[in-house]
């Protein structure tokens, strides 16, 4: 069934695939929206939200193959014209470790946990992280064990060095991406949404100023700021608006060696530089590494879409 469906999909033109996907999503939307019910009397007074919606993930191969990723931003705006969106971006140099640990936690819930961890995450325990990165081709080690970013030569079909870096996956071809291209995500969503509908924040800022970041979110959705320092935790409960002790973004117990942290920082500096050059007004709090590899071109192709994105994000 899956193979036959893939052949049928390949025979359709891109326009036909996109039209079918839009029709399917539009017909399914009422059922999906019913998962977030709001009483008619509360419409306009109650806000609902969805976190990490699966249909927005470019790393999901099925979504990309079906053309879903290309139409979701426009369709979301069409079906939810009053919706506001928040993108929380994380330092590309620390994202692979965070994504690897999250992958292990997610796969652990499945009956075939060991098989899925190896296939999707590239390892089965946290200590496998370094070997997974070496197999991904992002970092290499010489005969003495000295780490360095892998050479970013152009790939097959003329793929740019940066494209090859962003295409690296945890567990081989079927694994999850180590890092996604936040610039491409913003180009897709920013072009579909009206000015002021998309807010970009950074994971690192939630650790240093959680109250300030939460107030930015509240103001973005049209609510007044809240006096968080005076907030009272629910009695006999661990519930809290943002609790660094339980957040999945909290620093792992096993620290990477300084050599590994430096190698990842150096490897992903071109990705960091690409984001900063595309959207300097956002002041991404990500440190760039110094070194020969860090001097690689960020591979930004500044287009009209980039200019339009900057106009919306940097008023």
């Amino acid at each position: 069934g899956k193979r036959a469906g893939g052949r049928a999909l390949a025979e359709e033109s891109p326009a036909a695939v996109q039209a079918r996907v839009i029709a399917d999503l539009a017909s399914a939307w009422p059922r999906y929206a019913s998962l977030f019910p709001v009483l008619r009397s509360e419409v306009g007074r109650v806000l609902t939200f969805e976190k990490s919606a699966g249909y927005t993930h470019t790393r999901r191969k099925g979504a990309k193959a079906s053309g879903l990723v290309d139409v979701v931003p426009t369709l979301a705006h069409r079906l939810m014209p009053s919706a506001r969106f928040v993108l929380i971006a994380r330092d590309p140099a620390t994202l692979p470790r965070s994504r690897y640990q999250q992958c292990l936690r997610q796969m652990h819930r499945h009956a075939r946990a060991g098989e899925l961890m190896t296939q999707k995450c590239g390892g089965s325990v946290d200590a496998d992280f370094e070997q997974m990165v070496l197999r991904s081709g992002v970092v290499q080690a010489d005969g003495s064990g000295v780490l360095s970013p892998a050479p970013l030569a152009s790939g097959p079909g003329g793929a740019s060095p940066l494209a090859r870096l962003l295409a690296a996956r945890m567990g081989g071809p079927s694994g999850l991406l180590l890092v996604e291209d936040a610039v491409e995500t913003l180009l897709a969503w920013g072009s579909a949404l009206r000015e002021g509908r998309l807010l970009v924040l950074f994971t690192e800022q939630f650790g240093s100023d959680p109250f300030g970041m939460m107030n930015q979110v509240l103001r973005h959705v049209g609510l007044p700021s809240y006096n968080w320092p005076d907030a009272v935790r629910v009695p006999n409960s661990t519930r809290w608006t943002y609790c660094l002790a339980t957040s999945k973004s909290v620093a792992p117990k096993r620290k990477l060696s300084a050599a590994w942290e430096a190698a990842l920082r150096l490897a992903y500096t071109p990705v960091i530089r690409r984001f900063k050059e595309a959207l300097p007004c956002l002041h991404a709090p990500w440190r760039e590494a110094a070194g020969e590899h860090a001097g690689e071109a960020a591979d930004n192709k500044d287009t009209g879409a980039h200019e339009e994105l900057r106009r919306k994000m940097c008023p």
Side-chain angles (χ1 to χ4, degrees):
K2 190 176 288 187
R3 187 172 297 173
R7 283 200 301 268
L9 188 65
E11 292 169 1
E12 290 186 84
S13 68
V17 170
Q18 192 171 94
R20 178 172 52 76
V21 169
I22 290 177
D24 290 345
L25 283 175
S27 64
W29 184 256
R31 295 193 303 274
Y32 185 70
S34 68
L35 300 174
F36 309 89
V38 177
L39 294 176
R40 185 177 296 275
S41 60
E42 296 295 323
V43 171
R45 300 200 307 147
V46 173
L47 294 176
T48 60
F49 72 93
E50 186 176 13
K51 171 184 171 292
S52 301
Y55 50 78
T56 66
H57 290 182
T58 57
R59 67 178 181 271
R60 295 179 185 269
K61 281 190 167 183
K64 203 159 190 175
S66 67
L68 182 61
V69 173
D70 298 328
V71 300
V72 162
T74 300
L75 197 58
H77 175 60
R78 186 184 305 172
L79 295 170
M80 301 181 294
S82 63
R84 291 176 179 266
F85 298 85
V86 180
L87 172 69
I88 302 178
R90 182 169 185 147
D91 184 345
T94 65
L95 184 56
R97 182 80 189 280
S98 172
R99 179 158 289 174
Y100 178 73
Q101 291 182 311
Q102 182 67 5
C103 183
L104 292 182
R105 282 194 288 266
Q106 290 177 336
M107 297 303 116
H108 184 71
R109 304 168 188 164
H110 293 270
R112 298 183 296 120
E115 176 187 346
L116 287 172
M117 284 178 181
T118 302
Q119 181 183 15
K120 299 294 184 183
C121 314
S124 56
V125 294
D126 181 58
D128 293 337
F129 173 75
E130 289 88 340
Q131 288 301 315
M132 179 277 291
V133 175
L134 289 173
R135 287 193 298 271
S136 75
V138 169
V139 172
Q140 63 183 7
D142 64 16
S144 303
V146 177
L147 300 169
S148 63
L152 287 181
S154 295
S160 70
L162 188 65
R164 289 186 60 244
L165 179 63
L166 291 167
R169 291 181 176 271
M170 293 183 194
S174 61
L176 298 182
L177 288 174
L178 270 75
V179 167
E180 286 171 334
D181 188 354
V183 174
E184 288 301 316
T185 300
L186 286 170
L187 283 171
W189 284 86
S191 63
L193 303 176
R194 294 200 304 271
E195 188 175 327
R197 294 292 182 184
L198 178 62
L199 173 67
V200 179
L201 299 175
F202 299 97
T203 299
E204 296 76 21
Q205 294 172 324
F206 277 92
S208 60
D209 183 21
F211 300 145
M213 292 302 100
M214 286 305 303
N215 276 335
Q216 280 199 49
V217 173
L218 290 178
R219 291 192 295 270
H220 178 61
V221 300
L223 296 175
S225 297
Y226 185 72
N227 189 12
W228 296 105
D230 291 341
V232 178
R233 190 187 297 272
V234 178
N236 303 317
S237 172
T238 58
R239 282 188 294 158
W240 190 248
T241 303
Y242 180 83
C243 181
L244 194 59
T246 58
S247 169
K248 69 181 182 183
S249 298
V250 70
K253 293 180 180 179
R254 184 182 72 90
K255 283 184 64 65
L256 290 180
S257 68
W260 264 101
E261 288 185 352
L264 286 168
R265 175 71 52 190
L266 196 57
Y268 282 104
T269 283
V271 181
I272 295 172
R273 185 165 297 151
R274 167 175 162 80
F275 186 93
K276 290 182 174 181
E277 289 179 358
L279 290 164
C281 65
L282 296 183
H283 306 292
W286 304 332
R287 180 173 56 84
E288 298 179 37
E292 182 180 349
H293 180 85
E296 297 275 0
D299 196 38
N300 263 338
K301 293 184 176 66
D302 210 21
T303 64
H306 287 79
E307 293 178 8
E308 177 66 13
L309 179 63
R310 278 193 289 272
R311 187 187 67 78
K312 288 184 176 181
M313 303 302 301
C314 310

